[in-house]
Amino acid sequence: KQYTDALSDFTDNVDPLPASLARAVIEKELLHRDEKFEDVFSEFDEIPLGAASVAQVHRAVLTEKYGGPREVAIKIQRPSIESKLMGDIANLKALAKTFREELPLDYYTVFTELEKQLQDEFDFVAEAVAME
């Protein structure tokens, strides 16, 4: 229990991205080339509702052009986090495969399953569809 509590700090108690970077990610990933942030959102809370290792969530209000005023939650993936985490998992799988005979558990299989689960975590479009 003490290890899981200590490790949970790495995923749960994460400093949020700066608001300027969060806005830049939104502009790059969600907006069309000819749109400005203010064209889509009439309000945007710079302080996130929550921040974790993979993403953070901000409250915003859509403009009338996009069906507003309507309050929405915007989930923002941390830049480069997918490649970093998937690289870490690949390294763990390689180690687990190398030491498979010496380990008390088949960690290769564990990390392979974790890899599949993480792929789902990074698919925000599938998550949004599932919420509808």
Side-chain angles (χ1 to χ4, degrees):
K1 172 118 172 83
Q2 84 182 59
Y3 295 114
T4 56
D5 289 346
L7 290 172
S8 71
D9 282 344
F10 289 119
T11 59
D12 297 337
N13 298 324
V14 179
D15 289 334
L17 296 172
S20 59
L21 181 55
R23 285 176 70 115
V25 170
I26 293 167
E27 288 172 350
K28 179 180 180 227
E29 299 293 329
L30 294 179
L31 305 186
H32 298 288
R33 286 179 177 242
D34 58 337
E35 287 179 319
K36 295 180 184 164
F37 195 86
E38 295 75 23
D39 293 339
V40 180
F41 304 105
S42 60
E43 294 178 35
F44 176 77
D45 290 353
E46 293 193 349
I47 298 172
L49 298 170
S53 58
V54 172
Q56 65 188 45
V57 177
H58 289 262
R59 178 199 159 274
V61 176
L62 293 173
T63 61
E64 287 185 23
K65 180 178 178 182
Y66 289 91
R70 189 170 124 203
E71 196 172 50
V72 294
I74 306 170
K75 188 171 183 180
I76 303 164
Q77 192 174 109
R78 291 180 175 276
S80 305
I81 193 67
E82 183 174 2
S83 61
K84 288 177 186 174
L85 283 178
M86 296 314 285
D88 289 347
I89 296 297
N91 291 334
L92 288 169
K93 283 175 57 180
L95 281 170
K97 193 171 189 178
T98 301
F99 296 106
R100 202 176 219 167
E101 300 302 319
E102 289 81 23
L103 296 170
L105 183 68
D106 182 5
Y107 285 103
Y108 181 80
T109 301
V110 171
F111 293 134
T112 299
E113 187 59 35
L114 178 61
E115 183 178 49
K116 291 176 191 171
Q117 295 299 317
L118 277 176
Q119 289 293 351
D120 292 340
E121 288 292 318
F122 292 120
D123 191 346
F124 287 6
V125 173
E127 183 178 354
V129 168
M131 291 175 65
E132 291 179 359

